[in-house]
Amino acid sequence: MNVAAAAHEPAVRDIRFGIIGCSAIAPRALLEPIGHVAGARVTALANRTVAKAGEMADRFGVSVVYRHAEDLLKDPDIDAVYIALSNDLHAEWIGKALQAHKHVLVEKPLCLSTADLIPLAATVEQSSAYLLEGVMVQHHPWQRELRRIVESGCYGRLRSIATSLCIPAKNGHAFNYRSRPEQGGGCFWDLGVYWLQLLQAVVGLEQAEFRSQSDFNGPHGCDWTFHAQAHYPGGLEASALFSFERPYRCAHVLTFDSAVVSLQDCFRANLGFYKITLKTEMRDITPNITATDASTEGPSHQLQSKMKTVFEPMNYYVNQLEAFCSIIRGEAEPIPFREAAERVRLLAAIHEAARSGKTIYAG
């Protein structure tokens, strides 16, 4: 965003949102959460199928429906837009919305092509509006807590991070962009951003080497199961499993020298207000074992203790919307565009590497 231009804008009090694309995620990501965010409301919807937009508008009390998104962008009574289109349309409509001076919250991933990043970066820089990629988990305090644990060294060196993001496809994602490669379909484009953002937030992506594997045996050649690994110079290994066909499991497990910290069911808070729990299991070898002790058969001499850090019930999408509104009002610093751009570059490269077998080197 052009900071000089923003400085001359009056403070936004009541932020009026328009939605471009009445996809299934729109109610959960914006229409329902906005009722919990003071000073924000949805005033218009745009969808090429007007009947679908009309039904959604009636359900949520939205007063204006447009057939064409261009008309929504011309509406002077809209301050910000939420883009809920298929992945291949994100870059185009981000650009159009920013040029129309609308703040933009766009579903992840930001875009599919690294070629789109240069014009997008220029538009962001020149615009008086803000852009936020909708990576819902990044606004929850569990990420800051994990980073604090890593940086404190309280459990010794971080040895590995194991991530599983497996969400079975409902009806095989038939008639859904997730089953169409040309629209950014497949499990890695859908879920990989969460893994990269976690690494980015907790340990950084610098100097990591990435490898990946997939059979690309989903509908139309999409990746229905995808494996990825990141190796860091200090020895840290991060691995991830993504799948639309394996049993549901969404979890992160961080293994340190003297503890294992796990976050199970890490996506639960996207369904409503739920507690998120970090579980820590400590392992300490008992010192000063005597010869008699050492010769005694039985379990190893190891003390185990378990701890929990429980966060109050939160909703990922409410957190995200509150963060975005705070950025628009100038109450919080915007998340730099370069972070989302870095993820897009790696998503594209890692996805392609599963076909080529190449190793990808982060900058």
Side-chain angles (χ1 to χ4, degrees), residues 16 43-44 64 66 69-79 100 102:
R16 300 159 297 181
T43 59
V64 180
Y66 292 104
E70 290 91 344
D71 294 330
L72 184 147
L73 293 179
K74 294 175 184 176
D75 188 338
D77 294 324
I78 292 176
D79 306 301
K102 310 297 185 187

Tab-separated table of all heavy atoms in Angstrom, residues 16 43-44 64 66 69-79 100 102:
chain	number	residue	atom	x	y	z
A	16	ARG	N	-17.699	-1.351	5.182
A	16	ARG	CA	-18.760	-1.998	4.406
A	16	ARG	C	-18.137	-2.941	3.385
A	16	ARG	O	-17.366	-2.523	2.533
A	16	ARG	CB	-19.611	-0.925	3.711
A	16	ARG	CG	-20.274	0.035	4.709
A	16	ARG	CD	-20.663	1.343	4.054
A	16	ARG	NE	-19.476	2.064	3.548
A	16	ARG	CZ	-19.546	3.257	2.948
A	16	ARG	NH1	-20.720	3.849	2.772
A	16	ARG	NH2	-18.441	3.842	2.513
A	43	THR	N	-22.672	-5.397	2.712
A	43	THR	CA	-23.743	-4.609	2.093
A	43	THR	C	-24.081	-5.065	0.687
A	43	THR	O	-25.119	-4.663	0.146
A	43	THR	CB	-23.358	-3.122	2.056
A	43	THR	OG1	-22.137	-2.970	1.311
A	43	THR	CG2	-23.159	-2.576	3.460
A	44	ALA	N	-23.244	-5.901	0.052
A	44	ALA	CA	-23.531	-6.309	-1.322
A	44	ALA	C	-22.848	-7.628	-1.654
A	44	ALA	O	-21.794	-7.964	-1.094
A	44	ALA	CB	-23.081	-5.234	-2.305
A	64	VAL	N	-28.056	-5.638	-1.333
A	64	VAL	CA	-27.756	-5.397	-2.744
A	64	VAL	C	-27.114	-6.633	-3.372
A	64	VAL	O	-26.204	-7.220	-2.794
A	64	VAL	CB	-26.818	-4.185	-2.911
A	64	VAL	CG1	-26.499	-3.943	-4.383
A	64	VAL	CG2	-27.423	-2.938	-2.286
A	66	TYR	N	-25.470	-7.953	-7.141
A	66	TYR	CA	-25.012	-7.608	-8.487
A	66	TYR	C	-24.757	-8.881	-9.281
A	66	TYR	O	-24.250	-9.869	-8.749
A	66	TYR	CB	-23.696	-6.821	-8.424
A	66	TYR	CG	-23.815	-5.439	-7.829
A	66	TYR	CD1	-23.373	-5.183	-6.525
A	66	TYR	CD2	-24.335	-4.382	-8.575
A	66	TYR	CE1	-23.460	-3.909	-5.985
A	66	TYR	CE2	-24.424	-3.106	-8.039
A	66	TYR	CZ	-23.990	-2.876	-6.753
A	66	TYR	OH	-24.079	-1.620	-6.227
A	69	ALA	N	-19.323	-8.499	-11.089
A	69	ALA	CA	-18.428	-8.003	-10.045
A	69	ALA	C	-17.941	-6.591	-10.352
A	69	ALA	O	-17.669	-5.813	-9.433
A	69	ALA	CB	-17.241	-8.949	-9.891
A	70	GLU	N	-17.829	-6.266	-11.632
A	70	GLU	CA	-17.403	-4.902	-11.993
A	70	GLU	C	-18.348	-3.857	-11.421
A	70	GLU	O	-17.908	-2.774	-10.985
A	70	GLU	CB	-17.343	-4.744	-13.515
A	70	GLU	CG	-16.213	-5.506	-14.177
A	70	GLU	CD	-16.610	-6.911	-14.596
A	70	GLU	OE1	-17.669	-7.404	-14.105
A	70	GLU	OE2	-15.864	-7.522	-15.380
A	71	ASP	N	-19.633	-4.164	-11.399
A	71	ASP	CA	-20.611	-3.218	-10.857
A	71	ASP	C	-20.454	-3.062	-9.351
A	71	ASP	O	-20.621	-1.970	-8.807
A	71	ASP	CB	-22.033	-3.671	-11.212
A	71	ASP	CG	-22.303	-3.628	-12.713
A	71	ASP	OD1	-21.690	-2.774	-13.389
A	71	ASP	OD2	-23.104	-4.435	-13.187
A	72	LEU	N	-20.127	-4.168	-8.679
A	72	LEU	CA	-19.892	-4.080	-7.240
A	72	LEU	C	-18.686	-3.178	-6.959
A	72	LEU	O	-18.715	-2.380	-6.025
A	72	LEU	CB	-19.675	-5.481	-6.662
A	72	LEU	CG	-19.494	-5.597	-5.141
A	72	LEU	CD1	-20.076	-6.917	-4.641
A	72	LEU	CD2	-18.018	-5.509	-4.743
A	73	LEU	N	-17.652	-3.302	-7.780
A	73	LEU	CA	-16.451	-2.494	-7.556
A	73	LEU	C	-16.693	-1.011	-7.809
A	73	LEU	O	-15.958	-0.162	-7.298
A	73	LEU	CB	-15.309	-2.995	-8.439
A	73	LEU	CG	-14.770	-4.397	-8.119
A	73	LEU	CD1	-13.655	-4.776	-9.078
A	73	LEU	CD2	-14.284	-4.493	-6.679
A	74	LYS	N	-17.705	-0.703	-8.573
A	74	LYS	CA	-18.044	0.703	-8.837
A	74	LYS	C	-18.912	1.301	-7.735
A	74	LYS	O	-19.126	2.524	-7.718
A	74	LYS	CB	-18.775	0.820	-10.176
A	74	LYS	CG	-17.921	0.474	-11.385
A	74	LYS	CD	-18.760	0.496	-12.665
A	74	LYS	CE	-17.944	0.067	-13.876
A	74	LYS	NZ	-18.786	0.000	-15.099
A	75	ASP	N	-19.405	0.470	-6.833
A	75	ASP	CA	-20.309	0.928	-5.773
A	75	ASP	C	-19.535	1.781	-4.766
A	75	ASP	O	-18.630	1.286	-4.089
A	75	ASP	CB	-20.924	-0.289	-5.077
A	75	ASP	CG	-22.023	0.080	-4.092
A	75	ASP	OD1	-22.044	1.233	-3.621
A	75	ASP	OD2	-22.855	-0.796	-3.783
A	76	PRO	N	-19.870	3.055	-4.633
A	76	PRO	CA	-19.124	3.931	-3.697
A	76	PRO	C	-19.412	3.623	-2.237
A	76	PRO	O	-18.705	4.118	-1.350
A	76	PRO	CB	-19.619	5.324	-4.071
A	76	PRO	CG	-20.993	5.098	-4.629
A	76	PRO	CD	-20.918	3.784	-5.359
A	77	ASP	N	-20.417	2.807	-1.985
A	77	ASP	CA	-20.775	2.478	-0.603
A	77	ASP	C	-20.112	1.193	-0.122
A	77	ASP	O	-20.515	0.626	0.901
A	77	ASP	CB	-22.297	2.359	-0.473
A	77	ASP	CG	-22.994	3.687	-0.703
A	77	ASP	OD1	-22.438	4.722	-0.304
A	77	ASP	OD2	-24.094	3.687	-1.287
A	78	ILE	N	-19.117	0.735	-0.850
A	78	ILE	CA	-18.352	-0.449	-0.447
A	78	ILE	C	-16.903	-0.044	-0.210
A	78	ILE	O	-16.279	0.594	-1.050
A	78	ILE	CB	-18.434	-1.554	-1.519
A	78	ILE	CG1	-19.858	-2.101	-1.585
A	78	ILE	CG2	-17.440	-2.684	-1.213
A	78	ILE	CD1	-20.075	-3.119	-2.674
A	79	ASP	N	-16.394	-0.402	0.959
A	79	ASP	CA	-15.017	-0.067	1.343
A	79	ASP	C	-14.038	-1.202	1.075
A	79	ASP	O	-12.859	-0.966	0.807
A	79	ASP	CB	-14.954	0.273	2.834
A	79	ASP	CG	-15.932	1.356	3.226
A	79	ASP	OD1	-15.837	2.457	2.667
A	79	ASP	OD2	-16.798	1.090	4.087
A	100	ALA	N	-9.714	-0.206	-7.981
A	100	ALA	CA	-10.968	0.484	-7.658
A	100	ALA	C	-10.936	1.053	-6.239
A	100	ALA	O	-11.956	1.525	-5.730
A	100	ALA	CB	-12.147	-0.472	-7.816
A	102	LYS	N	-10.563	-0.507	-3.374
A	102	LYS	CA	-11.235	-1.332	-2.367
A	102	LYS	C	-10.182	-2.165	-1.639
A	102	LYS	O	-9.296	-2.760	-2.257
A	102	LYS	CB	-12.257	-2.277	-3.013
A	102	LYS	CG	-13.238	-1.625	-3.978
A	102	LYS	CD	-14.132	-0.616	-3.310
A	102	LYS	CE	-15.179	-0.097	-4.305
A	102	LYS	NZ	-15.978	1.024	-3.739
